[in-house]
Amino acid sequence: MSGPTRAVKAALALATAVLPLAALTPPVSAAGSLSMLGADVSTAQRALDLGAKYYDASGAARDPLDILKGAGVNYVRLRVWNNPRSGYNNKAKVLAYARTVKAKGLKLLIDFHYSDTWADPGKQYKPAAWSSHGIGQLQTDVYNYTHDVCTSLKAQGTTPDSVQIGNEINVGMLWNEGKVVNNDFTNLSLLLKAGYNATKACSSGTKVMIHTANADSLDHARWFYDGIRAKGVAWDITALSYYCMWHGTLGNLYNVITDVRSRYGKDVVLAETAYPFTTGNADGTGNSITSGCADYPLTWAGQAKNFAHVQNTARNAGAIGVFYWEPTWYAVPGNGWDPADIANSGNGWDNMATFDWSGRINPEIRWTP
């Protein structure tokens, strides 16, 4: 979840001076409500296949999507990995679960990692099948893969409502070819254009997000989005990650959202957020996050309060959506974090889910328009 490197930061002053705020177009949507009330449930399919149970606040066993829908969710985010060793989150699994999502009346966001494993600010590994490809071939790879997944979803009646071209691509994707080095966004822009064009060729109505974890500062957000805009990259929604322990105060979040909303004239979404409900750990794998933020105890009430305040801040700043990251990923043995060893690796997110270790939802948590 880190921002640009020290060398990158040195050029921020120049990058952020490209256009004055007053010269920019107005945002697409009026402020006032959140229309995308989202949850990334990418691990739920594996949990259910393992026999995991989910319970609503009254203790009744139900489908996790129904429980989340009852708490206000109307949008589901699913990551897709090219060829993960576990088989989960690959194209076939995503196609299968997309049918379930759409059958529940929920909208669908597909999160392209363009990797066989996790892609985030600290790592953007090329899929093994693309490992020897240069930037020219990678453009074709991104186009063909994006178009194939999108058209396969469309063919079964589950056209994605939105897609992300990359996941938390703070300094690029498909490294090293698509990494931003010495403030040069050329290669990254070629890959983003390929993904955008493939999506629109599949479904002109599908919204394309460009997602970074740059909610931490105006400088970082402007450096990245100014950089791709200067290269002619098109996108529909500016997507950010926000975790208070990494990205700062809600006041800072408000300022970043309002700035990017006005600066680029596009809708803004928080594609990821989450908060711990306990300091405890359910398995042998240490928790990814072990501390909270001021005014939010690590309890059910604290988790619900933090999420409510994140939603309020996003709404007041003019964002159109907030997605909770992996609310269903509670401590189910065999549903580990490592796609190369999913059966034996543990879960570092068991204290961040909105379901406790027995599978019961936080009774206080709500997604609100």
Side-chain angles (χ1 to χ4, degrees), residues 112-147:
F112 286 97
H113 281 229
Y114 302 111
S115 183
D116 297 331
T117 187
W118 301 98
D120 57 43
K123 56 187 178 296
Q124 297 279 335
Y125 304 122
K126 288 188 288 188
W130 304 356
S131 61
S132 65
H133 296 178
I135 189 62
Q137 181 60 46
L138 287 171
Q139 290 176 72
T140 302
D141 294 334
V142 168
Y143 185 98
N144 289 344
Y145 180 72
T146 307
H147 192 264

Side-chain angles (χ1 to χ4, degrees), residues 103-337:
K104 300 288 187 184
L106 299 163
K107 291 190 174 181
L108 178 64
L109 164 59
I110 297 296
D111 176 11
F112 286 97
H113 281 229
Y114 302 111
S115 183
D116 297 331
T117 187
W118 301 98
D120 57 43
K123 56 187 178 296
Q124 297 279 335
Y125 304 122
K126 288 188 288 188
W130 304 356
S131 61
S132 65
H133 296 178
I135 189 62
Q137 181 60 46
L138 287 171
Q139 290 176 72
T140 302
D141 294 334
V142 168
Y143 185 98
N144 289 344
Y145 180 72
T146 307
H147 192 264
D148 175 59
V149 172
C150 182
T151 54
S152 296
L153 286 162
K154 182 178 180 179
Q156 67 174 18
T158 60
T159 303
D161 300 281
S162 304
V163 303
Q164 284 180 216
I165 307 303
N167 186 76
E168 292 190 329
I169 56 171
N170 291 27
V171 288
M173 64 188 200
L174 292 165
W175 293 354
N176 286 319
E177 285 77 4
K179 191 171 188 176
V180 180
V181 179
N182 295 326
N183 306 301
D184 185 354
F185 285 82
T186 301
N187 282 4
L188 175 60
S189 71
L190 295 172
L191 299 173
L192 294 177
K193 289 173 183 178
Y196 179 92
N197 291 338
T199 301
K200 296 300 183 177
C202 164
S203 168
S204 61
T206 296
K207 299 291 188 181
V208 173
M209 296 186 185
I210 304 295
H211 174 214
T212 70
N214 285 338
D216 60 320
S217 78
L218 294 178
D219 283 348
H220 293 168
R222 289 180 179 181
W223 173 82
F224 180 88
Y225 292 103
D226 279 3
I228 63 171
R229 181 177 62 177
K231 293 294 184 179
V233 173
W235 73 99
D236 301 315
I237 296 173
T238 303
L240 303 166
S241 294
Y242 175 75
Y243 298 89
C244 65
M245 60 290 299
W246 291 328
H247 296 120
T249 66
L250 291 174
N252 179 69
L253 175 64
Y254 179 93
N255 290 337
V256 173
I257 292 174
T258 55
D259 185 76
V260 299
R261 181 173 176 262
S262 62
R263 190 173 185 84
Y264 307 110
K266 301 179 190 303
D267 287 327
V268 180
V269 163
L270 295 185
E272 295 184 22
T273 193
Y275 195 80
F277 69 87
T278 180
T279 58
N281 177 29
D283 60 21
T285 296
N287 294 333
S288 299
I289 295 175
T290 57
S291 61
C293 302
D295 302 321
Y296 304 107
L298 275 63
T299 61
W300 275 146
Q303 182 187 70
K305 180 182 177 183
N306 177 265
F307 187 50
H309 287 186
V310 170
Q311 290 179 91
N312 290 345
T313 301
R315 182 187 303 108
N316 292 338
I320 65 165
V322 176
F323 285 73
Y324 197 102
W325 195 75
E326 290 284 10
T328 59
W329 199 10
Y330 79 93
V332 178
N335 197 15
W337 69 271

